[in-house]
């Protein structure tokens, strides 16, 4: 069976599920705070990822891939950089507006392109590079909203923090792809699911320990709100599952560039759920994202 293009629907599903999870987390922030809502994706996503793993093992009749230290190093690095990237993102948003912070953070696809080539030796064609640049420019335009939302004069500290956050997310994506590629056995679905479980286990442990030491009241609030958090955890686990399936089938930069469809889904959510209207600049940004996506699909199918 030809699986060459399966990464495309996997990425679209992942982007849609991540948009839904972000909407749920946005609502949980009111009761749990930013850190608490962030931990929900790990703590309540872990049980569902374990269910996914059991199902994959039963349906495929396979055994777990053999452990190796290269896999462990990639997972550990990716898990820690993803947590650090989230912390840097929150710090950036405390210094500047959400919109302007997003401009810096959404440089992730550009950085993924660089890290993917350097760390994993992923190939990036000229058209693929153009797709990344065009789509990222579209996201930047969509993020620059309102008066004063320009890069000039925004200050070096939020810029450095935001770009560092984008770098952290880029490194984590490349790291998780490196982890699943380092596994010597198993189908691409099993390797993706095993990597997902390993990453969530480590991230859950790290954040639970941190909350126990510094924010015990937040941890207790997370546990008390399990009913409202389970759905967000489930949807987040589904998103991660399909991200990793896509990572197993193609270069990280392809996945993350097509994954910018998430911002289009977010536009729909903003209009339908939060009754927000799109500006002319946002519409232009949407158009550029779509052009970038088309260029990406053409470059990867030829």
């Amino acid at each position: 069976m030809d699986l060459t293009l399966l990464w495309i629907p996997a990425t679209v599903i992942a982007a849609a599920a991540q948009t839904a999870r972000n909407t749920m987390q946005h609502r949980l922030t009111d009761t749990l705070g930013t850190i608490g809502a962030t931990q929900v994706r790990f703590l309540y996503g872990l049980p569902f990822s374990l269910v996914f793993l059991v199902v994959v093992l039963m349906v495929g009749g396979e055994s777990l891939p053999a452990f190796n230290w290269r896999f462990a190093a990639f997972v550990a690095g990716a898990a820690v950089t993803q947590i650090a990237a989230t912390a840097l993102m929150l710090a950036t948003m405390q210094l500047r507006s959400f919109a302007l912070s997003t401009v810096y953070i959404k440089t992730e696809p550009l950085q993924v392109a660089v890290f993917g080539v350097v760390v994993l030796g992923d190939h990036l064609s000229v058209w693929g590079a153009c797709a990344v640049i065009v789509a990222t420019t579209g996201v930047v335009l969509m993020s620059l909203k309102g008066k004063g939302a320009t890069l000039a004069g925004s200050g070096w500290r939020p810029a450095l923090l935001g770009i560092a956050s984008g770098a952290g997310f880029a490194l984590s994506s490349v790291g998780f792809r490196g982890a699943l590629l380092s596994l010597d056995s198993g189908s691409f679905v099993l390797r993706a699911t095993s990597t997902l479980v390993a990453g969530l286990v480590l991230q859950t442990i790290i954040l639970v320990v941190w909350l126990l030491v510094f924010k015990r009241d937040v941890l207790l609030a997370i546990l008390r709100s399990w009913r409202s958090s389970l759905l967000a955890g489930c949807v987040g686990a589904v998103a991660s599952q399909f991200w990793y399936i896509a990572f197993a089938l193609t270069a990280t930069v392809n996945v993350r560039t097509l994954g910018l469809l998430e911002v289009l889904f977010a536009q729909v959510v903003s209009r339908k759920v939060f009754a927000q209207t799109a500006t002319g600049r946002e519409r232009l940004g949407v158009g550029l994202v779509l052009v970038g996506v088309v260029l990406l699909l053409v470059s990867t199918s030829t």
Side-chain angles (χ1 to χ4, degrees):
M1 181 180 178
D2 185 12
L3 302 175
T4 306
L5 299 179
L6 186 59
W7 70 273
I8 296 174
T11 301
V12 173
I13 293 171
Q18 183 157 304
T19 302
R21 185 205 70 196
N22 289 344
T23 303
M24 295 174 191
Q25 281 188 303
H26 176 75
R27 290 171 172 171
L28 287 171
T29 303
D30 294 336
T31 55
L32 299 178
T34 303
I35 295 176
T38 300
Q39 169 65 326
V40 164
R41 68 176 290 192
F42 303 121
L43 181 62
Y44 289 101
L46 178 57
F48 293 101
S49 70
L50 291 171
V51 171
F52 298 160
L53 181 59
V54 171
V55 171
V56 170
L57 289 172
M58 292 178 63
V59 172
E62 302 176 272
S63 57
L64 285 172
F67 173 87
N68 65 75
W69 288 106
R70 181 177 172 83
F71 172 80
F74 269 122
V75 167
V80 171
T81 52
Q82 191 174 58
I83 293 174
T86 302
L88 288 168
M89 177 183 69
L90 297 175
T92 307
M93 291 177 179
Q94 287 178 338
L95 293 174
R96 291 291 173 182
S97 69
F98 176 82
L100 191 55
S101 301
T102 304
V103 175
Y104 301 120
I105 296 165
K106 285 303 181 181
T107 60
E108 179 194 357
L110 294 173
Q111 300 187 69
V112 164
V114 175
F115 294 139
V117 172
V118 173
V119 178
L120 302 178
D122 287 338
H123 173 71
L124 182 64
S125 67
V126 174
W127 284 111
C130 290
V132 173
I133 294 171
V134 170
T136 302
T137 301
V139 174
V140 168
L141 283 176
M142 293 170 67
S143 302
L144 288 173
K145 305 175 188 175
K147 296 180 179 179
T150 61
L151 298 179
S154 61
W156 63 267
R157 189 179 179 191
L160 289 180
L161 288 175
I163 293 172
S165 175
F169 285 123
L171 281 171
S172 68
S173 297
V174 172
F176 283 128
R177 172 168 160 79
L180 62 88
L181 291 179
S182 69
L183 295 175
D184 298 326
S185 62
S187 65
F188 70 93
V189 177
L190 177 58
R191 288 183 285 114
T193 311
S194 300
T195 303
L196 170 61
V197 170
L200 284 177
V201 166
L202 183 57
Q203 289 169 320
T204 299
I205 292 173
I206 291 173
L207 285 176
V208 165
V209 170
W210 189 90
L211 289 170
L212 278 173
V213 175
F214 299 105
K215 295 281 186 178
R216 190 170 300 179
D217 57 326
V218 174
L219 180 58
L220 292 175
I222 293 172
L223 296 176
R224 285 193 297 266
S225 65
W226 64 270
R227 289 183 180 85
S228 58
S229 300
L230 272 177
L231 183 57
C234 177
V235 175
V238 170
S240 297
Q241 176 73 43
F242 281 96
W243 282 128
Y244 290 11
I245 287 175
F247 289 155
L249 296 171
T250 189
T252 316
V253 63
N254 294 336
V255 177
R256 280 312 193 191
T257 302
L258 181 58
L260 290 177
L261 286 173
E262 178 191 345
V263 300
L264 306 186
F265 299 148
Q267 286 284 314
V268 174
V269 171
S270 295
R271 297 186 67 178
K272 300 296 184 181
V273 178
F274 301 111
Q276 298 173 349
T277 58
T279 65
R281 178 182 289 165
E282 288 173 320
R283 293 190 185 96
L284 176 59
V286 168
L288 287 176
V289 170
L290 291 175
V291 170
V293 167
V294 171
L295 285 175
L296 174 70
L297 296 180
V298 170
S299 69
T300 55
S301 61
T302 56

